[in-house]
């Protein structure tokens, strides 16, 4: 993986859309990959990108990954089917309690962090069969990542702080998972089984390179799985890597990507009546609260499937049932 003869980085655009070039002051950028969830973000890298730097010519800093260090998704299934009324009880219980928790372990955060319940369709995953109820927990390092982003740390000091924030994010997801297990047991008498966890805001350092994945999950082994959600009322995909994913540094998008910025989303009126009829959304989650995360703000899965088909195989589809933010 070397730069070309003009010493410019290799750029791979797997998004299927025009890419606005990002200029880097730094030397050492070897490869830049643009994924289908490409969209603007805080920091030098947009969401939906993978940037590979020469380790000897790059100084790691918070500017690249941004504040949401270690953000990722934990994917779990119910050990037995759950009825609609039971899902509604769980969603209301979770939403009420999590609204009270901010910037502590066991909190979701703002933006598109969420807990989503689905039903499995057309599954080829060994532990996931047709009709299984599943849950996706999407959250990050909360205030810990923000503190690192706002620091002036660089180099080894930044990487040490990054590792601590990443560990906090993983601990936060674990806390949420076990809290959810308790709710499920109390309300339904059933259990949750963790199937997979994928981080999609990460820094990877090896003997030659420093690789940033921002809004990108790593699927390197043939049996790795990842979940690509779309929006609060949209389907999600469960995928496995194909050999060609090596061209993307074994990376694939973590979602479909925004098409309307949060700022612009706040400028239009929104009535959630239709979406609340399609999926369970607790009534005390107000329209104002979900305004910036409504389905129209995100690309649909069918808009990105053509771009990802060479790199991953779809091994299950997930039909939305309930949403908690």
């Amino acid at each position: 993986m070397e730069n070309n003869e003009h010493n410019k980085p290799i750029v791979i655009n797997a998004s299927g859309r025009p890419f606005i070039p990002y200029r880097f002051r730094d030397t050492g950028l070897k490869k830049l990959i643009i994924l289908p969830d490409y969209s603007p973000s805080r920091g030098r890298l947009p969401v939906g990108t993978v940037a590979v730097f020469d380790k000897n010519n790059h100084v790691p800093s918070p500017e690249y990954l941004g504040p949401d260090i270690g953000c990722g998704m934990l994917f779990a299934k119910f050990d037995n089917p759950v009825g609609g009324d039971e899902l509604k009880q769980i969603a209301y219980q979770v939403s009420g309690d999590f609204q009270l928790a901010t910037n502590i372990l066991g909190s979701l955060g703002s933006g598109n962090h969420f807990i989503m319940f689905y039903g499995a369709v057309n599954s080829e995953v060994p532990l996931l069969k047709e009709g299984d109820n599943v849950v996706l927990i999407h959250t990050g390092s909360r205030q810990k990542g923000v503190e690192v982003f706002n620091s002036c740390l660089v180099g080894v000091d930044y990487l040490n702080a990054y590792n601590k924030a990443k560990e906090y994010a993983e601990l936060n997801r674990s806390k949420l998972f076990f809290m959810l297990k308790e709710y499920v047991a109390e309300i339904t008498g059933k259990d949750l089984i963790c199937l997979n966890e994928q981080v999609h805001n990460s820094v990877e350092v090896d003997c030659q390179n420093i690789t940033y994945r921002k809004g990108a999950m790593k699927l390197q082994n043939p049996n790795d799985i990842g979940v690509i959600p779309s929006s609060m009322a949209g389907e999600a995909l469960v995928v496995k890597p194909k050999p060609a994913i090596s061209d993307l540094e074994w990376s694939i998008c973590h979602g479909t990507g925004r098409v309307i910025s949060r700022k612009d989303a706040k400028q239009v009126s929104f009535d959630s009546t239709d979406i609340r009829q399609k999926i369970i959304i607790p009534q005390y989650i107000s329209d104002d609260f979900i305004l910036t995360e409504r389905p129209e703000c995100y690309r649909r899965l069918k808009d990105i499937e053509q771009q990802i088909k060479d790199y991953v195989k779809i091994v299950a589809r997930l039909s939305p049932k309930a949403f908690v933010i």
Side-chain angles (χ1 to χ4, degrees), residues 76-95:
K77 76 166 188 174
F78 291 78
D79 65 343
N80 284 293
V82 179
D85 289 343
E86 291 177 315
L87 270 185
K88 187 172 183 178
Q89 289 182 60
I90 295 168
Y92 270 73
Q93 182 70 51
V94 168
S95 179

Side-chain angles (χ1 to χ4, degrees), residues 1 9-12 19 22 24 26 28-35 44-55 58 63-65 200 202-206 208-216 247-249 251:
M1 185 179 61
I10 298 168
V11 177
I12 298 176
F19 172 67
Y22 275 65
F24 291 89
D26 314 69
L29 179 64
K30 299 171 68 173
K31 193 172 186 178
L32 182 64
I33 298 163
I34 301 95
L35 297 171
R44 294 192 191 181
L45 291 174
V47 170
T49 54
V50 181
V52 182
F53 287 88
D54 186 308
K55 185 178 179 181
H58 174 70
E63 298 178 68
Y64 295 91
L65 200 62
H200 51 243
S202 65
V203 183
E204 180 180 312
V205 181
D206 61 29
Q208 293 182 319
N209 301 315
I210 297 175
T211 302
Y212 299 89
R213 290 183 176 87
K214 188 169 182 179
D247 295 339
L248 305 182
E249 296 300 310
S251 307

Side-chain angles (χ1 to χ4, degrees), residues 7-197:
N7 203 34
K8 293 181 179 179
I10 298 168
V11 177
I12 298 176
N13 187 349
S15 72
R17 294 179 298 277
F19 172 67
I20 300 172
Y22 275 65
R23 296 185 180 275
F24 291 89
R25 296 191 301 270
D26 314 69
T27 59
L29 179 64
K30 299 171 68 173
K31 193 172 186 178
L32 182 64
I33 298 163
I34 301 95
L35 297 171
D37 54 342
Y38 157 62
S39 57
S41 176
R42 295 175 69 183
R44 294 192 191 181
L45 291 174
V47 170
T49 54
V50 181
V52 182
F53 287 88
D54 186 308
K55 185 178 179 181
N56 296 320
N57 292 290
H58 174 70
V59 179
S61 82
E63 298 178 68
Y64 295 91
L65 200 62
D68 207 6
I69 291 170
C71 189
M73 298 183 192
L74 188 152
F75 183 44
K77 76 166 188 174
F78 291 78
D79 65 343
N80 284 293
V82 179
D85 289 343
E86 291 177 315
L87 270 185
K88 187 172 183 178
Q89 289 182 60
I90 295 168
Y92 270 73
Q93 182 70 51
V94 168
S95 179
D97 287 354
F98 289 5
Q99 290 294 318
L100 302 176
T102 57
N103 287 325
I104 61 173
L105 284 176
S107 58
L108 274 172
S110 59
N112 70 333
H113 293 151
F114 57 79
I115 292 178
M116 189 82 189
F117 299 92
Y118 300 91
V121 182
N122 300 329
S123 176
E124 301 175 25
V125 181
L127 296 178
L128 188 64
K129 64 181 185 296
E130 183 87 11
D132 277 351
N133 298 109
V134 297
V135 61
L136 190 63
I137 301 172
H138 177 194
T139 191
S141 52
R142 311 296 283 113
Q143 189 62 27
K144 298 292 184 182
V146 175
E147 291 169 0
V148 175
F149 180 68
N150 291 332
S151 73
C152 297
L153 298 174
V154 296
V156 173
D157 290 337
Y158 166 69
L159 292 176
N160 288 336
Y162 156 83
N163 284 326
K164 292 179 181 178
K166 179 174 176 287
E167 289 173 2
Y168 186 90
E170 291 167 348
L171 186 59
N172 189 43
R173 272 189 297 280
S174 178
K175 177 72 171 178
L176 287 167
F177 172 67
F178 283 104
M179 290 169 66
L180 195 54
K181 277 175 71 78
E182 291 182 2
Y183 292 131
V184 169
E186 291 173 3
I187 294 171
T188 71
K190 299 179 176 69
D191 193 16
L192 280 180
I193 301 166
C194 182
L195 298 178
N196 174 257
E197 184 174 8

